Amino acid sequence: MAGTAATLWFVSAVAGAGLWARLSPGGSRVRQFLITGIVGGAGLATGLALRTPRADAADWLAEAAAYAFACELYVFLFTFVGSSVSVALLVERLETAPPRRPVETLDPVAMVECRLATMHNAGVLEATPPAYRLNNRSRLILRVYRALRRLLRHETST
């Protein structure tokens, strides 16, 4: 039965994030899922504690690991990848039949502007006309990224 509770709580977290996205379309999808995921994790822990107060530690760890893995995979596959240019091109191709225009005629400048606007709406960039600039949040993300690269000894390509 290991994994059943984790699966149910994961599906609940995804459904909660989907509902939240429908009710608040302008919000950050990552933040919405993180909050519903944390609530789902708390529900999983509470359910395990109430259901089996003397449960084997390995069962608890298996449920928690399965839940954490599913949440991490969801965030990567369906949240971060959804903002990629390649996925945007594929979605445009699938949503319009026949396609509105050939791929060769897509405006790369408009695609970059759309990406920058998305990053601005997520709070990672500040709009300072006529350009964008990094803010404190993006500088922190960059410092953490560089520290992790040094820690993991990943050489930069430049």
Side-chain angles (χ1 to χ4, degrees), residues 15-103:
L19 179 63
W20 190 350
R22 296 278 184 224
L23 296 175
S24 177
S28 166
R29 301 292 180 257
V30 175
R31 183 175 296 135
Q32 291 169 348
F33 181 74
L34 285 177
I35 292 171
T36 59
I38 289 169
V39 170
L44 173 64
T46 303
L48 289 173
L50 294 175
R51 185 182 71 194
T52 53
R54 290 181 272 168
D56 186 18
D59 290 341
W60 282 65
L61 186 58
E63 293 279 356
Y67 182 79
F69 174 73
C71 287
E72 183 176 354
L73 187 63
Y74 176 84
V75 167
F76 175 74
L77 289 177
F78 299 107
T79 307
F80 292 133
V81 174
S83 65
S84 77
V85 172
S86 301
V87 171
L89 287 172
L90 289 173
V91 168
E92 180 178 339
R93 296 275 144 226
L94 292 173
E95 288 182 347
T96 59
R100 287 186 292 225
R101 56 190 172 195
V103 173

Side-chain angles (χ1 to χ4, degrees), residues 64-146:
Y67 182 79
F69 174 73
C71 287
E72 183 176 354
L73 187 63
Y74 176 84
V75 167
F76 175 74
L77 289 177
F78 299 107
T79 307
F80 292 133
V81 174
S83 65
S84 77
V85 172
S86 301
V87 171
L89 287 172
L90 289 173
V91 168
E92 180 178 339
R93 296 275 144 226
L94 292 173
E95 288 182 347
T96 59
R100 287 186 292 225
R101 56 190 172 195
V103 173
E104 298 82 27
T105 63
L106 293 175
D107 183 12
V109 173
M111 294 174 73
V112 170
E113 288 174 356
C114 180
R115 181 67 181 233
L116 289 171
T118 301
M119 293 173 73
H120 172 69
N121 291 338
V124 179
L125 293 177
E126 286 183 15
T128 55
Y132 290 95
R133 68 182 185 100
L134 298 178
N135 59 19
N136 290 336
R137 182 177 176 193
S138 56
R139 286 189 190 94
L140 174 63
I141 292 169
L142 188 58
R143 281 194 303 270
V144 169
Y145 170 76
R146 288 178 177 161

